[in-house]
Amino acid sequence: MSRDAPRPLEVTLLASVFVVAACGLVYELAAGALASYLLGDSVLQFSTVIGSYLFAMGVGSWMSRFFDRQLPAHFLRIELLVALAGGFLPALLFMAHAYAPGAFRALLYGMVGIVGILVGLEIPLVMRILKREVALKNLVSQVLTFDYLGALAVSVAFPIVLVPHLGLIRTGLLFGLLNAAVALWALWVFRFELRRFAAHAVACGLTLAVLAAGFVQADAVTSLAEDKFYQDRIVLAATSPYQRVVVTQGRTGAKLFLNGNLQFAERDEYRYHEALVHPAMAAFGAPRRVAVLGGGDGMAVREVLKYPSVESVTLVELDPNMTRLFAQDPAMVRLNGGSLSSPKLTIVNADAFQWLQGSVGVERSAQVKGGARRAGDTEQSVLPPALLDTFDVIIVDFPDPTNFSIGKLYTNSFYALLAERLSASGYAVIQTTSPLVARQSYWTVATTIESVGLTATPYHANVPSFGEWGYLLASRRPWRMPTALPEGLRFLTPQTLPLLFDFPKDMARVPAEVNRLSNQVLVITYEQEWGKVLP
């Protein structure tokens, strides 16, 4: 047999490198994802978590020089420690955020450091064990090849397969089990070299049992943490590649949370959505074509459909999980009045920025039983800019700019695209955070809208769940106070509507920069202003 042919031990060691690399990256991604979910500002959280993790790996690599003898035994023990620390990392962080939020950051970076050091020890030890089987000239290239392949596999699977189907807690525990399986394999392969085989075997068995029990009970752990965090009973919870969606039910009704941030409360959502929709719709007169960007819960669409003149509504929502949930769940359908099943509605599950650019064109939705449209029942076509639809009213209902991926939807680049899709006499309305709590942020959006040649008309409403909340009307013509509103509104009347446009001194306009893609000043300002009032 040729010496160039890989030996069985060499193959299995390199396979373990693949698994080890995959597990290490999963723990890093899980920590970054959890930090961005729970602390906001995904760019900052991922940057600091990845930087801390890589530094810790460097420390671990440096420490490997002190391991001289019994390398297989050291490798086995480290695999078991990585399995436990990395596998339980998401669960422990979820629990800490719910029960000890003040300690969350310290625990986050502490665990990232511990897991990073342990992962940093793994590859050097494997390379030194492999030196007995592989020629030096091939050693580094083979180890790094399998290391990078493992990282590639996980980087693709993590957002597409693992998190949507298993959730963060089960994903961590699954890869903890894989690390423990590598330890079990090392136990068998090096059984004649291990001085305390029985003790190592017991440790492997206990680690596998603990991780398996955690995997089975992952839903209970998630519920325990989220029930504490959200206070009210959780009735719906789902994780998508984009966000964590949680709906709770309590004495005051249902509440929707995205990544832990309140989006609406049943008891007063009518105030928010009536204020969002009707000043623009009623001022236009008889709008026929309407677009809603964001607002996958269907509440804004519900208000839009109160106008008989409306012929078509296009709802652009990034997360198909949202539109599916609020179109099919009976409790959610009751809240939005079945608006997502309207025959006038077309649902586009796409990034709003790309949709405005024409990167995602008109969606021709297939009818299904009950009139509801599903994300998979569509055909998309890309149209040239000259043929893109324009709208009489565009309602922009995005989450607040807590990170740069959302912040791009508040930039002058976005509003320039918005202006192109607005009819000559049309109105756009943008939900724009609190002009009381985040005064500078609010007027930054107004300045940004005006920078693209649109008029920005500010107004605000009191929504008890949020406090004073702000909106901005954008148009080419001056906004006109409507003389009539649809029947059946619970909050707005023609007499009280003018009061929304009156700004007291503590919410009056202040100088502000234009929010651009190149600076994203709004995200920084927003974080500073809300950070002063949030624990």
Side-chain angles (χ1 to χ4, degrees):
M1 186 173 102
S2 171
R3 176 63 190 90
D4 293 334
R7 296 179 178 180
L9 180 58
E10 176 186 341
V11 172
T12 53
L13 278 168
L14 290 173
S16 73
V17 171
F18 180 92
V19 174
V20 163
C23 293
L25 185 58
V26 160
Y27 306 142
E28 181 181 2
L29 292 173
L34 265 171
S36 63
Y37 279 5
L38 303 177
L39 300 178
D41 194 351
S42 59
V43 173
L44 174 64
Q45 304 309 330
F46 266 103
S47 295
T48 54
V49 166
I50 290 172
S52 302
Y53 190 82
L54 291 176
F55 172 76
M57 286 181 64
V59 172
S61 296
W62 177 81
M63 290 173 61
S64 68
R65 64 194 294 185
F66 299 107
F67 293 79
D68 291 327
R69 301 177 180 178
Q70 288 289 301
L71 295 183
H74 290 311
F75 176 70
L76 187 153
R77 296 185 196 113
I78 288 168
E79 285 303 298
L80 294 179
L81 290 172
V82 172
L84 290 170
F88 282 103
L89 181 146
L92 289 175
L93 290 178
F94 261 124
M95 296 296 289
H97 185 255
Y99 289 89
F104 177 80
R105 289 179 188 270
L107 183 63
L108 168 68
Y109 291 105
M111 293 200 68
V112 165
I114 291 170
V115 174
I117 288 172
L118 292 171
V119 171
L121 284 165
E122 290 175 311
I123 298 301
L125 290 180
V126 169
M127 291 180 70
R128 289 165 65 184
I129 294 170
L130 272 167
K131 281 176 65 178
R132 301 181 298 189
E133 301 293 326
V134 183
L136 182 61
K137 67 176 183 178
N138 297 324
L139 176 62
V140 174
S141 64
Q142 288 184 354
V143 168
L144 291 182
T145 296
F146 279 83
D147 184 49
Y148 296 150
L149 285 173
L152 173 64
V154 161
S155 65
V156 174
F158 186 82
I160 298 174
V161 178
L162 296 172
V163 174
H165 292 90
L166 294 179
L168 280 171
I169 290 180
R170 273 209 172 94
T171 296
L173 290 164
L174 173 64
F175 280 79
L177 285 166
L178 290 177
N179 266 129
V182 170
L184 192 64
W185 163 84
L187 176 72
W188 173 253
V189 170
F190 300 109
R191 60 192 180 278
F192 300 116
E193 298 183 42
L194 297 174
R195 294 176 179 174
R196 301 175 62 188
F197 178 84
H200 286 110
V202 170
C204 287
L206 288 175
T207 301
L208 285 165
V210 169
L211 288 165
F215 188 88
V216 172
Q217 295 298 319
D219 288 340
V221 174
T222 302
S223 297
L224 186 64
E226 291 187 330
D227 285 347
K228 172 68 175 179
F229 178 76
Y230 293 110
Q231 303 299 321
D232 292 333
R233 179 173 57 91
I234 294 173
V235 293
L236 286 170
T239 301
S240 76
Y242 310 104
Q243 59 200 352
R244 175 71 173 170
V245 180
V246 173
V247 178
T248 66
Q249 184 71 42
R251 290 185 298 109
T252 59
K255 293 179 181 178
L256 169 67
F257 296 85
L258 300 181
N259 292 342
N261 298 311
L262 179 65
Q263 301 302 303
F264 75 72
E266 182 180 355
R267 67 175 178 178
D268 56 19
E269 61 81 13
Y270 67 92
R271 277 180 163 251
Y272 172 87
H273 290 103
E274 287 184 14
L276 173 70
V277 171
H278 296 295
M281 293 287 290
F284 187 88
R288 296 187 303 112
R289 297 178 55 80
V290 179
V292 178
L293 311 185
D297 52 38
M299 306 296 187
V301 176
R302 177 195 67 200
E303 299 300 317
V304 167
L305 292 174
K306 292 178 179 178
Y307 291 81
S309 63
V310 171
E311 296 174 359
S312 67
V313 183
T314 301
L315 173 62
V316 183
E317 164 61 49
L318 177 64
D319 190 352
N321 198 50
M322 277 285 291
T323 49
R324 188 180 304 114
L325 173 66
F326 281 85
Q328 298 177 2
D329 184 82
M332 300 302 103
V333 170
R334 176 182 61 81
L335 289 177
N336 63 34
S339 62
L340 298 187
S341 298
S342 170
K344 296 180 179 181
L345 180 67
T346 298
I347 296 175
V348 182
N349 290 124
D351 178 86
F353 204 113
Q354 295 179 1
W355 179 78
L356 287 176
Q357 287 176 315
S359 302
V360 179
V362 176
E363 244 190 34
R364 301 176 178 85
S365 297
Q367 286 290 114
V368 297
K369 187 174 181 180
R373 292 164 169 80
R374 295 173 183 156
D377 297 330
T378 59
E379 295 179 358
Q380 294 184 353
S381 60
V382 178
L383 299 178
L387 297 180
L388 291 174
D389 292 330
T390 59
F391 298 89
D392 300 326
V393 176
I394 300 177
I395 296 161
V396 182
D397 190 19
F398 297 135
D400 276 8
T402 54
N403 57 60
F404 293 114
S405 61
I406 301 175
K408 74 177 183 180
L409 304 174
Y410 289 82
T411 60
N412 60 343
S413 300
F414 180 83
Y415 294 133
L417 294 170
L418 189 74
E420 292 177 5
R421 304 294 291 270
L422 197 60
S423 65
S425 58
Y427 293 108
V429 59
I430 298 104
Q431 88 80 15
T432 323
T433 196
S434 170
L436 180 63
V437 175
R439 185 177 179 184
Q440 186 76 34
S441 300
Y442 179 85
W443 293 109
T444 295
V445 179
T447 301
T448 305
I449 291 170
E450 292 169 343
S451 73
V452 302
L454 296 175
T455 298
T457 304
Y459 67 102
H460 62 99
N462 185 273
V463 183
S465 294
F466 301 111
E468 285 295 329
W469 209 254
Y471 310 84
L472 284 159
L473 285 157
S475 59
R476 295 184 179 87
R477 58 170 175 160
W479 180 79
R480 300 175 303 174
M481 187 70 66
T483 57
L485 292 169
E487 295 291 332
L489 300 189
R490 300 169 60 191
F491 173 49
L492 294 179
T493 67
Q495 293 73 36
T496 60
L497 182 58
L499 301 177
L500 275 58
F501 293 80
D502 182 28
F503 276 70
K505 187 176 181 179
D506 59 355
M507 295 194 297
R509 186 158 192 164
V510 293
E513 286 185 61
V514 174
N515 187 44
R516 307 175 189 276
L517 280 173
S518 58
N519 64 20
Q520 289 268 27
V521 65
L522 178 61
V523 175
I524 299 168
T525 304
Y526 178 91
E527 195 75 20
Q528 291 172 343
E529 291 184 309
W530 277 101
K532 294 177 182 178
V533 297
L534 295 177

